[in-house]
Amino acid sequence: MKIEAIDCYYLSMPNILDTGDGSQDALLIRVQAGEYVGWGECEAAPLVSIASLVCPMSHSACKPVRASLLDQELNDTADINRIGNLVRENSMDLLQTDHTQSGVDIAMWDLMGKKLDAPVYQLLGYKKSYPKTPYASLLFGDTPQETLEKALRVRADGYKAVKFGWGPFGRGTVAEDEDQLHAAREGLSQDGLLLVDVGTVWGDDVERASQRLKAFQETGVTWVEEPFVSGALDSYRTLASMGGDIKLAGGEGCHNYHMAQQMIDHAALGCVQIDAGRIGGISICKRVADYAHARGISYVNHTFTSHLALSASIQAYAGLEHDTLCEYPVESQSLGVDMTQNHIERDANGQIHLPEAPGLGIRPDLLALEKYLVDVEIKVHNQVIYRTPTLPATA
Ligand SMILES: [Mg+2]
């Protein structure tokens, strides 16, 4: 069967705030081949990704992503990899390509799972999907008091692991950050796993990062995530050598396999974090998970949006028994929750399991999405090259 349609839907909250919350908008992708439909999600500015799908060709290595998708044969999992390589070759100089292809790749795996009547993790070669321990992913409060209250709330809700990130952390004084860390630890109590996400705020400045090491150690932080931008390999390595037991985590900024490989090999990471909606989809996630596993580095998903994205992000390491943590969105906007009819809920032990249904096992809620749909029209030479499609009646 051939890929007959690639539809994309720009979804957004009514107001976008200048915060680190990536769940405020989304680009939902629908791929149709024969009688099958698959769904995926891109984790990047939706309009830019739409443009990369439909833009006029600039030159032979800068074609619109859609040109390498429509009419392609999609009969088995090898076709997904073949199509991904074709997209990367034909759109190599279009920097949004990997982001856009992420949603397409995820949708193709969902579609193939439905065709072959198997969950995606089985198509990736895993016999079993192991339960994961979700860590509640939260933004730091504007004040230590607010952070304390958030930590108390998720602790009372049964989470044993919490990650605080972004917000004011790292932007003010060392003392202000120390107060934030102690507030987080107090709210979480001594036995909770505390993770901190610095959101690349220090660029590549090791000095500023190292000034906080004592507080990270005193508050028992398990990992410090993205102290620096992806690719600042020397800074990562230097900080890791000073950090004692504290692990560094990073990798969400990687938007291709080789970037992740460099981070694994040269950034002294304890844990590599990959976003399926950025790096090129489930196909690339699986390559990274295999590489990390072979080198004894933990793999964890990066997900702050919907449960469609969550399911997609877990598939690549579902069968890695010892990589037990999972980023779990608990603060997403209503769009992130409303996007799907079903959700990956915690069980009585506080763990989560991938759906055992075919594909990703998560169904978009098309009726609920109507109110988030952004009306877009792109014209070139007075010809409409993209117009927001109507949402189909069924998923
Ligand atoms: Mg992060």
Side-chain angles (χ1 to χ4, degrees):
M1 57 191 187
K2 287 185 193 305
I3 296 181
E4 292 162 34
I6 305 281
D7 293 314
C8 51
Y9 303 90
Y10 179 175
L11 305 164
S12 178
M13 297 298 292
N15 298 306
I16 301 290
L17 305 176
D18 186 5
T19 71
D21 177 359
S23 70
Q24 301 182 82
D25 63 13
L27 185 65
L28 184 66
I29 302 273
R30 176 184 180 272
V31 172
Q32 189 212 324
E35 63 191 281
Y36 300 101
V37 166
W39 294 90
E41 186 181 334
C42 305
E43 213 289 332
L47 186 58
V48 188
S49 292
I50 293 172
S52 74
L53 267 166
V54 301
C55 63
M57 174 169 61
S58 284
H59 57 77
S60 62
C62 204
K63 293 176 181 147
V65 170
R66 190 166 62 179
S68 309
L69 299 170
L70 288 174
D71 290 331
Q72 285 294 318
E73 286 288 339
L74 180 57
N75 297 307
D76 53 34
T77 58
D79 281 329
I80 300 178
N81 285 312
R82 180 185 57 77
I83 292 169
N85 289 337
L86 189 66
V87 166
R88 283 183 284 276
E89 184 185 333
N90 285 333
S91 302
M92 176 169 40
D93 291 341
L94 193 61
L95 292 188
Q96 195 73 2
T97 295
D98 296 295
H99 288 262
T100 308
Q101 178 58 17
S102 296
V104 175
D105 180 274
I106 291 167
M108 288 195 291
W109 280 104
D110 186 38
L111 184 154
M112 197 52 64
K114 290 169 183 167
K115 177 176 184 252
L116 301 177
D117 196 27
V120 170
Y121 74 83
Q122 287 181 13
L123 303 186
L124 293 171
Y126 293 127
K127 289 196 171 60
K128 183 176 172 184
S129 164
Y130 290 93
K132 304 293 180 195
T133 302
Y135 68 78
S137 194
L138 299 165
L139 301 178
F140 274 108
D142 289 337
T143 62
Q145 182 62 28
E146 206 181 308
T147 297
L148 170 69
E149 286 162 13
K150 283 186 175 203
L152 286 168
R153 211 158 46 230
V154 289
R155 180 71 199 199
D157 194 18
Y159 288 96
K160 297 180 175 68
V162 175
K163 183 172 87 185
F164 280 101
W166 297 74
F169 194 85
R171 297 177 183 278
T173 65
V174 174
E176 284 165 347
D177 286 351
E178 287 171 352
D179 289 346
Q180 284 279 8
L181 292 171
H182 284 283
R185 171 52 74 199
E186 184 185 336
L188 191 54
S189 63
Q190 283 310 314
D191 61 341
L193 192 75
L194 176 59
L195 313 168
V196 172
D197 181 359
V198 189
T200 76
V201 72
W202 297 314
D204 58 4
D205 186 343
V206 176
E207 172 67 23
R208 286 175 71 202
S210 65
Q211 289 167 351
R212 277 82 173 173
L213 277 176
K214 187 162 157 276
F216 289 139
Q217 281 155 352
E218 281 173 3
T219 52
V221 169
T222 297
W223 84 43
V224 176
E225 172 176 332
E226 287 212 309
F228 312 116
V229 292
S230 279
L233 304 174
D234 288 346
S235 299
Y236 271 93
R237 256 196 334 270
T238 307
L239 187 66
S241 72
M242 302 161 78
D245 290 342
I246 294 175
K247 288 185 201 155
L248 298 187
E252 72 181 78
C254 296
H255 50 84
N256 61 50
Y257 170 73
H258 296 102
M259 283 179 77
Q261 190 183 35
Q262 294 291 314
M263 291 288 284
I264 289 167
D265 285 344
H266 302 298
L269 297 180
C271 182
V272 67
Q273 304 168 287
I274 300 298
D275 196 312
R278 286 183 193 168
I279 200 162
I282 293 171
S283 305
I284 308 296
C285 287
K286 180 61 166 52
R287 274 188 81 188
V288 177
D290 288 347
Y291 191 77
H293 184 64
R295 277 149 189 79
I297 306 282
S298 303
Y299 181 103
V300 70
N301 64 309
H302 171 264
T303 311
F304 204 78
T305 55
S306 75
H307 283 224
L308 183 70
L310 180 64
S311 175
S313 72
I314 299 171
Q315 305 288 340
Y317 77 115
L320 298 181
E321 184 177 4
H322 301 293
D323 289 347
T324 54
L325 279 175
C326 169
E327 180 165 38
Y328 190 75
V330 293
E331 258 192 336
S332 78
Q333 299 288 322
S334 60
L335 166 60
V337 179
D338 292 349
M339 197 183 303
T340 60
Q341 296 175 43
N342 57 328
H343 299 88
I344 298 173
E345 306 286 2
R346 287 173 293 157
D347 67 14
N349 296 320
Q351 294 194 299
I352 60 168
H353 307 258
L354 275 179
E356 292 296 334
L360 298 175
I362 298 288
R363 298 179 303 281
D365 190 337
L366 300 169
L367 271 180
L369 289 180
E370 195 71 55
K371 68 177 174 185
Y372 299 101
L373 194 58
V374 179
D375 187 24
V376 176
E377 185 179 89
I378 304 176
K379 275 186 184 174
V380 176
H381 288 315
N382 230 18
Q383 299 270 338
V384 175
I385 58 170
Y386 173 83
R387 181 177 287 137
T388 300
T390 48
L391 286 157
T394 58

